[in-house]
């Protein structure tokens, strides 16, 4: 995707995401709608959230194939994002020490922490079958999606 196009596409997606949220519906429906929007509009392999519960991340809502259900804080890409509170961009999953391979199809991945009152509440895990699929533009806009999700978790 060209840089300018990518920004424009995400700006439109973000507006669509904001418009999809309907507080007359269950929060889970709204989260599923946001995840579905990302997965199908960005042609992703898997998009989902893992929710922090003590020293574990537990699989929450997702769009895509069944996945690992529990991840220790500090383990894998998701655990690292939860532990550090920092976005993890993994351009080649084979090069990430301790990578947890839920699906062999995934070649690159971005994981963003959803932070409220200084605490990581969940992580948003976004997987692609393409190598090197994510950059700072994805980080910028997917962080904005995390801010939408945080009101619903
Ligand atoms: N690859 C992740 C695990 C979650 S699955 O990709 C859905 C990780 O290393 O934390």
């Amino acid at each position: 995707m060209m840089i300018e196009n990518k920004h424009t596409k995400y700006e439109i997606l973000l507006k669509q995401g904001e418009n999809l949220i309907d507080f007359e519906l269950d929060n889970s429906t709204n989260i599923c709608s946001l995840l579905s929007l990302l997965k199908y509009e960005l042609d992703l392999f898997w998009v989902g959230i893992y929710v922090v519960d003590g020293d574990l991340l537990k699989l929450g809502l997702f769009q895509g194939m069944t996945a690992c259900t529990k991840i220790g804080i500090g383990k894998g890409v998701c655990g690292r994002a939860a532990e550090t509170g920092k976005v993890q961009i993994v351009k080649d999953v084979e090069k990430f020490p301790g990578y947890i391979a839920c699906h062999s199809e995934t070649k690159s991945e971005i994981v963003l922490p959803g932070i409220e009152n200084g605490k990581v509440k969940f992580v948003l895990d976004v997987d692609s079958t393409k190598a090197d699929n994510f950059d700072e533009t994805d980080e910028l806009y997917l962080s904005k999606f995390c801010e939408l999700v945080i009101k619903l978790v």
Side-chain angles (χ1 to χ4, degrees):
M1 216 186 292
M2 282 175 56
I3 302 293
E4 205 47 47
N5 286 348
K6 194 165 174 173
H7 274 277
T8 309
K9 173 138 198 175
Y10 264 121
E11 286 292 345
I12 294 166
L13 270 189
L14 196 57
K15 280 272 163 294
Q16 283 180 307
E18 287 164 357
N19 291 334
L20 273 175
I21 296 173
D22 178 348
F23 288 104
E24 289 182 355
L25 301 175
D26 287 349
N27 285 344
S28 54
T29 308
N30 287 318
I31 294 172
C32 283
S33 295
L34 292 173
L35 299 177
S36 176
L37 182 73
L38 290 175
K39 182 180 187 302
Y40 291 97
E41 290 299 323
L42 297 174
D43 189 24
L44 298 165
F45 178 69
W46 194 92
V47 184
I49 60 171
Y50 284 90
V51 181
V52 175
D53 184 2
D55 57 3
L56 273 186
L57 284 170
K58 291 186 180 167
L59 180 61
L61 297 164
F62 63 95
Q63 297 285 346
M65 294 168 72
T66 55
C68 316
T69 54
K70 291 179 193 156
I71 297 172
I73 303 286
K75 307 285 182 198
V77 189
C78 292
R80 180 81 63 83
E83 186 178 55
T84 60
K86 298 228 156 51
V87 175
Q88 306 291 313
I89 296 178
V90 181
K91 295 183 181 293
D92 176 353
V93 297
E94 285 183 18
K95 295 200 174 125
F96 188 94
Y99 178 76
I100 299 166
C102 297
H103 314 101
S104 58
E105 290 90 339
T106 297
K107 299 291 180 261
S108 62
E109 172 160 349
I110 179 169
V111 181
L112 306 99
I115 300 174
E116 194 175 56
N117 301 325
K119 276 193 165 177
V120 179
K121 234 175 140 183
F122 68 92
V123 298
L124 172 66
D125 182 8
V126 179
D127 298 354
S128 174
T129 56
K130 299 176 200 114
D132 197 5
N133 194 51
F134 304 106
D135 60 18
E136 289 65 28
T137 305
D138 299 283
E139 175 175 349
L140 175 72
Y141 287 99
L142 292 173
S143 297
K144 293 178 196 276
F145 272 91
C146 273
E147 285 164 26
L148 295 181
V149 173
I150 205 138
K151 298 179 197 141
L152 304 166
V153 168

